Amino acid sequence: MNEQELVSSPSRHSRAAATDANHFILTFENNRFASELFGQFDQNLKLLEERLHIDARARGNTVAISGDLQATNQARRALDFLYARLQSGGSVESSDVEGAIRMAVATDDQLTLPTLERKAKLTMSQIATRKKTIAARTPTQDAYMRALERSELVFGVGPAGTGKTYLAVAHAAQLLERGLVDRIILSRPAVEAGERLGFLPGDMKEKVDPYLRPLYDALYDMIPGDKVERAITAGVIEIAPLAFMRGRTLSNAAVILDEAQNTTSMQMKMFLTRLGENARMIVTGDPSQVDLPRGVKSGLVEALQILRSVEGISVIRFKDVDVVRHPLVGRIVQAYDAQYAVQDESEQTDR
C-alpha cells in the first residue's frame, strides 16, 4: 500500500469540536481491494465516521480523512490493518471493521502519556485454520487468544456474544491441524433451561445434540463439513455431555467445557481433574446465567474462587463492551446488569 499524508489546517469538512485537527489522504494500490475495504456504498467508511467522529471521503482508490488528530490516526491504523487482511486473502465484513476500530481505540487508551507521534501498525492476535482466519475484535478477545496460546488451563467467563466458545473451538481446531493434539473433546452439562431432557424424542445422542449444537456450529465454521463428519466418526472429534467424562484421563487433546456455569461443584472438580499429558483445557461460561436448581452452587463460580492463585491457570473476564454480536446485544446485557445491581442493593438494604 502506498500511503500519502497531507497534514494541514482544518478543512471545511473537519469536525468543529476538534482541537488538534488533521487531514490526510490514503492511497491504496489495488483498486479491487480498495473497493472491498471501503465497502458497498462506502458503508465501512461510514462506520468509521460514526464510531470515530471523523470525515472519510472516498474517490477511486483513495480516501481523504479529516478530524481530530487522535481519531484520524485510529482510522488510519484500522484501514491499514483491514487492507493487509485483504492482501493476505481474507475478507472484510462490518464486524471486522468494528473490531479494527475497537482495537485501534484501545491502543490509544492504554497509553499513559499523550504523544503526537504516529503509532505503530495495529496488531491483533489471530487464530488461523484452513477454512478461516479469525482476528481479535476487542482487547479482551486479544488477551483471551494469547492466554489460549500460553496456558494449559484457561477460563473464559462473561456475557453471551463475546466469542468465548467460538474462539475456544477455533483454537482447538488450530491445534488439531498443526498436529499439536490428537483429538478435540467438546462437552457441555446437559442442564435443562426450562425444558425437560427426558421428554425430548430419540436416543441419548439425539436428546443431548440440541444442547451441543453451538459447538457443532463453531466446528463447521473452522473445518470443512465432510472432514468434521469423518473426524467425529473416527473419534478424532468427540462431542459429549459432561457426565460422559467421569473416569477418563484426557491426554493429547484440546478439551472444551462450555456453559460451565451449569456444572455443580463435584462436576467441575471431576472435569478439571481429567487433564492429562499434553492436553489443553478451556472452560467457558457466564456466571450470570445459571440454570441449576435454586440453592445449588455453580461449579464455575466456586472454581474461580478456589483456583484464583493457582499457577498455570489463566482467567479472562469478558464484559458487556466485549459483545461482538449485534450492537443491541451489548445494550441488552448492560440493561440486565444494571437491573440486577439495583435488585442486589435492594436485597442488602432489606437485610
Side-chain angles (χ1 to χ4, degrees), residues 40-55:
Q40 188 175 23
F41 304 117
D42 295 338
Q43 61 183 10
N44 294 340
L45 296 181
K46 291 175 183 176
L47 191 55
L48 281 171
E49 289 183 317
E50 179 182 336
R51 296 288 185 267
L52 297 176
H53 307 295
I54 60 168
D55 189 275

Side-chain angles (χ1 to χ4, degrees), residues 173-350:
Q174 177 181 257
L175 293 177
L176 183 65
E177 286 187 355
R178 291 180 178 178
L180 299 177
V181 297
D182 297 333
R183 54 188 173 148
I184 297 174
I185 301 173
L186 309 174
S187 184
R188 287 181 114 184
V191 174
E192 300 93 345
E195 295 147 351
R196 292 295 176 184
L197 188 63
F199 287 99
L200 293 175
D203 58 19
M204 176 55 75
K205 181 180 183 303
E206 291 170 329
K207 287 177 185 291
V208 301
D209 267 1
Y211 292 90
L212 303 174
R213 178 50 52 187
L215 299 177
Y216 282 105
D217 292 342
L219 267 179
Y220 284 112
D221 256 11
M222 307 302 156
I223 305 173
D226 58 334
K227 291 187 176 181
V228 173
E229 297 299 335
R230 288 200 299 269
I232 291 176
T233 301
V236 174
I237 296 177
E238 180 182 348
I239 306 178
L242 178 59
F244 292 8
M245 299 294 106
R246 187 173 297 278
R248 303 176 61 183
T249 299
L250 307 176
S251 303
N252 300 307
V255 190
I256 299 173
L257 174 60
D258 189 36
E259 296 291 341
Q261 74 276 4
N262 289 329
T263 61
T264 64
S265 297
M266 291 305 296
Q267 285 176 326
M268 178 59 76
K269 181 181 177 182
M270 177 274 292
F271 177 79
L272 295 176
T273 54
R274 300 305 96 199
L275 187 65
E277 291 293 325
N278 190 40
R280 295 296 185 98
M281 188 171 280
I282 309 167
V283 180
T284 66
D286 180 2
S288 72
Q289 294 193 40
V290 177
D291 297 316
L292 293 168
R294 184 178 295 275
V296 178
K297 188 170 186 178
S298 166
L300 175 61
V301 173
E302 183 182 67
L304 293 172
Q305 296 170 346
I306 293 174
L307 304 176
R308 61 182 177 272
S309 59
V310 176
E311 185 179 354
I313 298 176
S314 294
V315 178
I316 305 298
R317 298 181 184 274
F318 293 83
K319 299 180 180 179
D320 52 73
V321 294
D322 297 305
V323 172
V324 292
R325 289 181 185 166
H326 192 285
L328 186 57
V329 175
R331 296 196 289 273
I332 290 171
V333 172
Q334 290 175 341
Y336 270 93
D337 286 347
Q339 181 61 30
Y340 290 150
V342 170
Q343 290 177 353
D344 289 342
E345 288 182 8
S346 178
E347 291 175 0
Q348 291 176 2
T349 302
D350 292 341

